[in-house]
Amino acid sequence: MSSQRKYVIRIAAVATSLAAFLICTDLALTALTRDQISRQLSDLSKVALRRSEAAIDYAGAMLTQMAERGVMDCSAGALQKLRLQVYQGSAVKDIRAVDRDGSVICSAYSETLEFDNGWAKRDDMLESADRVLRLFRVEQFTGAALGVLRDVNAQQSLAGILRIDANQLDIMPIRLRAQSDVTLALLDGQPIAGYRPNGGQSELSDAISFTSVSDRYPLRAIIHVNPSALSTRQGGAYLPTMVAAGVLGILFGLLLASYLSRPLDPVTELDRGLSAHEFKPYLQPTFNLKTGDIVGSEILARWEKADGRTVPPMSFIPLAESSGRIEKLTWQILALALRELQPELKRDKRFKLSVNITPRQLLSDGFVDRLRQVVAAAAVSTRQVVLEVTEREELADLNKATAVVKELSEFGFRVALDDVGIGHSGLSAIQRLGARIIKIDKFFVDAITRDQSAVVVVQMLVALAGELDMGVVAEGIEHQEQVDALIACGVEEGQGYLVSPPLPMGRFKDFLELRRACSGEAPKASPELAA
């Protein structure tokens, strides 16, 4: 997959993910906000209805109390008492005596009768659920009012006139007030009262309605609200939520882009990297534990991809070994390292350059000849090249391996056993193979300052190496205490982050110059290079 195509895929993945997160979040917020506001408005319509029911209950109680006294005779004294009762009340504005068909007989304030624009007949009045009261609309000069009728006997009834104050219906939250209205109406559709802060409009265009119907009276409360008022974008939490969604969308898009741009076939991608010479030698120095002098370096492979990413060895070495690509990879980085470090190797004949090889590669046909050709092409002495045989896999043919190691030694190459102590080789294999160096694994170095058994193992390996005339190198040294413990065990050389991590070629050369300028100092980390 070309770098340009990967770039396009990544941009498309991030853009798509960002758009999807923003759209889905907007839709979710809209749905959630609409649901919350809808439930709030439904509850508010119930509040308006309950307030109206309370006024009707008050009027009904007053009329029931008067009905229990008997028929009203409409005398001057009786009307005077009636006016006093209305005056002392709050919701009821007038009380009238009516006959059976609903016609007015007399009124507490008879002078207001001439301003009525209509009076409902009994058959037009709506019964309450308990059939005790009847509700009807009263048209007055000041606007609509609510009439509540209560029968006294078969011939006479009492009717109370309620003026439902608009302020009783002022229940809307500030954010919705300018885009909504509240209406109280009978079940036959006749409006009784309303609160309209939106300029007195009778209806809002394309309004959404929320209605609550009384289960006791033929009455309903209706809230009309402009659809735009339900928009989540008007909420204070909308922008922060969308920003958070955008960040999550970008992060998810980056993960998706990484997934989509990965090689569909890892082996094919490995082959592509080999063809493009993307595998580079990184070098970790080997130093004398007592003096700190740099005596050599180990070549370690890193995959520097065209997009600038550096892939660590554990992400590709096992695949390279299992797929048979490790040999080609090893020859590439060895040839490049020898060519780049040739001046240093010429300058210091004691400097050793080591490279890892697998047992399979050691036993492969033509290995010795190929190695000689690579070293000769770089004009480097064979005595400066160390072959570290890894013990991640077992030597399939110890006899052949011994013969190959002997032939390598005859040409001046040195062979080291890597990962000694945790690999496949036993003591007999170490003795027979003819290797010249033992490399103690980091596992024992890590434990040597806190576990006496690790000290015993290291001492045993040093003693074995002494008997077989072999050198010993400790790997993974990170602390001065480990250096002191290794020296006490008889180890002379080591490598690890205490002095330097694996470095690319340019930085390794700078490191050598810096160490050369500081020669004679005890081994210690170089801050500017160990970062």
Side-chain angles (χ1 to χ4, degrees):
M1 186 182 295
S2 67
S3 58
Q4 183 177 6
R5 184 182 176 190
K6 287 183 179 179
Y7 178 77
V8 172
I9 289 176
R10 288 171 182 166
I11 292 298
V14 172
T16 301
S17 175
L18 177 61
F21 267 72
L22 291 178
I23 291 173
C24 290
T25 302
D26 180 73
L27 292 175
L29 284 175
T30 299
L32 178 64
T33 303
R34 281 180 174 270
D35 179 67
Q36 290 177 336
I37 295 178
S38 296
R39 284 190 281 108
Q40 180 186 21
L41 292 176
S42 179
D43 291 340
L44 288 175
S45 66
K46 290 182 175 66
V47 171
L49 186 65
R50 297 295 175 262
R51 290 183 179 182
S52 302
E53 287 178 335
I56 296 172
D57 290 341
Y58 176 82
M62 180 182 289
L63 295 178
T64 297
Q65 185 180 27
M66 294 177 62
E68 290 173 350
R69 299 174 188 164
V71 176
M72 190 170 65
D73 59 11
C74 292
S75 64
L79 292 178
Q80 180 66 25
K81 292 180 180 180
L82 192 60
R83 282 192 291 272
L84 179 61
Q85 191 163 359
V86 170
Y87 177 77
Q88 291 174 339
S90 57
V92 179
K93 305 302 180 184
D94 191 7
I95 296 179
R96 300 175 181 180
V98 298
D99 59 19
R100 187 61 183 175
D101 65 359
S103 299
V104 176
I105 301 173
C106 62
S107 170
Y109 296 97
S110 56
E111 62 273 11
T112 63
L113 292 176
E114 60 180 294
F115 297 107
D116 286 348
N117 296 324
W119 186 260
K121 297 297 184 180
R122 185 182 181 87
D123 293 340
D124 297 328
M125 299 176 183
L126 305 179
E127 282 188 334
S128 62
D130 58 5
R131 297 189 176 183
V132 174
L133 301 178
R134 290 174 180 267
L135 304 186
F136 56 98
R137 175 186 168 99
V138 180
E139 292 285 354
Q140 295 187 314
F141 70 95
T142 55
L146 176 63
V148 180
L149 183 134
R150 171 73 158 78
D151 290 333
V152 177
N153 53 35
Q155 290 76 36
Q156 190 183 81
S157 302
L158 293 173
I161 310 300
L162 279 73
R163 173 73 67 181
I164 304 296
D165 193 338
N167 290 330
Q168 288 184 261
L169 305 179
D170 181 11
I171 56 175
M172 300 302 294
I174 295 176
R175 187 170 72 84
L176 299 176
R177 185 171 298 174
Q179 302 185 68
S180 63
D181 61 42
V182 183
T183 300
L184 183 68
L186 297 173
L187 290 186
D188 60 6
Q190 297 184 83
I192 301 302
Y195 181 79
R196 296 181 175 87
N198 56 357
Q201 300 175 17
S202 58
E203 289 187 13
L204 294 168
S205 59
D206 301 322
I208 299 176
S209 300
F210 298 87
T211 302
S212 291
V213 179
S214 173
D215 55 0
R216 297 191 293 134
Y217 301 119
L219 195 69
R220 61 186 174 189
I222 309 163
I223 293 177
H224 299 98
V225 62
N226 194 316
S228 62
L230 304 182
S231 172
T232 182
R233 294 178 179 84
Q234 297 183 7
Y238 178 78
L239 183 58
T241 304
M242 292 299 289
V243 169
V247 172
L248 291 177
I250 292 173
L251 293 177
F252 182 81
L254 292 174
L255 292 176
L256 180 63
S258 176
Y259 175 79
L260 293 176
S261 60
R262 82 196 194 289
L264 298 179
D265 181 0
V267 175
T268 300
E269 180 68 6
L270 196 64
D271 287 336
R272 185 204 60 75
L274 287 168
S275 299
H277 293 273
E278 291 181 348
F279 294 94
K280 306 297 182 182
Y282 275 50
L283 299 121
Q284 186 172 37
T286 304
F287 60 94
N288 184 289
L289 297 184
K290 293 181 179 179
T291 66
D293 294 339
I294 304 301
V295 296
S297 175
E298 179 181 358
I299 303 172
L300 301 168
R302 296 292 187 271
W303 190 351
E304 294 183 351
K305 292 198 170 187
D307 58 9
R309 290 183 299 143
T310 298
V311 183
M314 289 308 297
S315 298
F316 64 86
I317 291 294
L319 177 62
E321 290 179 346
S322 63
S323 63
R325 272 69 174 176
I326 191 65
E327 288 85 358
K328 184 175 181 180
L329 191 157
T330 301
W331 292 127
Q332 277 192 8
I333 64 171
L334 175 60
L336 182 56
L338 289 172
R339 185 170 64 250
E340 291 289 334
L341 284 177
Q342 195 245 27
E344 181 61 36
L345 293 169
K346 290 284 188 181
R347 179 178 181 177
D348 184 357
K349 295 296 184 179
R350 295 173 300 174
F351 192 93
K352 300 183 295 291
L353 192 63
S354 61
V355 63
N356 290 294
I357 61 171
T358 64
R360 185 185 307 174
Q361 188 174 8
L362 178 71
L363 297 174
S364 64
D365 295 337
F367 170 73
V368 177
D369 293 337
R370 177 71 181 275
L371 177 63
R372 291 179 62 196
Q373 291 172 4
V374 171
V375 175
V380 173
S381 172
T382 57
R383 297 187 180 279
Q384 294 179 272
V385 177
V386 179
L387 305 172
E388 297 188 9
V389 182
T390 61
E391 292 202 323
R392 286 190 294 271
E393 61 181 78
E394 190 174 2
L395 282 166
D397 188 340
L398 183 57
N399 291 330
K400 182 178 180 180
T402 302
V404 173
V405 171
K406 182 179 179 182
E407 183 180 3
L408 289 169
S409 298
E410 291 172 352
F411 286 114
F413 296 103
R414 301 186 187 188
V415 175
L417 287 177
D418 199 11
D419 307 321
V420 171
I422 64 169
H424 288 84
S425 294
L427 295 179
S428 60
I430 295 174
Q431 181 181 12
R432 288 181 56 191
L433 190 61
R436 306 309 305 157
I437 301 170
I438 288 177
K439 297 197 73 174
I440 299 175
D441 189 81
K442 184 179 186 297
F443 174 82
F444 298 106
V445 175
D446 286 342
I448 196 168
T449 58
R450 52 182 171 79
D451 188 345
Q452 183 59 33
S453 62
V455 175
V456 173
V457 171
V458 173
Q459 289 175 338
M460 180 194 70
L461 292 174
V462 171
L464 176 63
E467 290 291 330
L468 299 177
D469 194 24
M470 301 172 70
V472 180
V473 178
E475 296 181 295
I477 301 173
E478 297 180 356
H479 308 290
Q480 183 61 41
E481 293 80 3
Q482 294 171 335
V483 172
D484 297 337
L486 289 167
I487 291 175
C489 291
V491 181
E492 296 181 351
E493 296 180 1
Q495 65 185 80
Y497 276 67
L498 175 66
V499 168
S500 173
L503 299 172
M505 186 62 69
R507 292 181 64 193
F508 180 73
K509 290 180 180 180
D510 294 339
F511 170 83
L512 289 180
E513 291 297 328
L514 179 61
R515 295 294 295 196
R516 194 171 287 119
C518 300
S519 60
E521 293 183 3
K524 56 185 178 182
S526 300
E528 71 276 18
L529 294 171

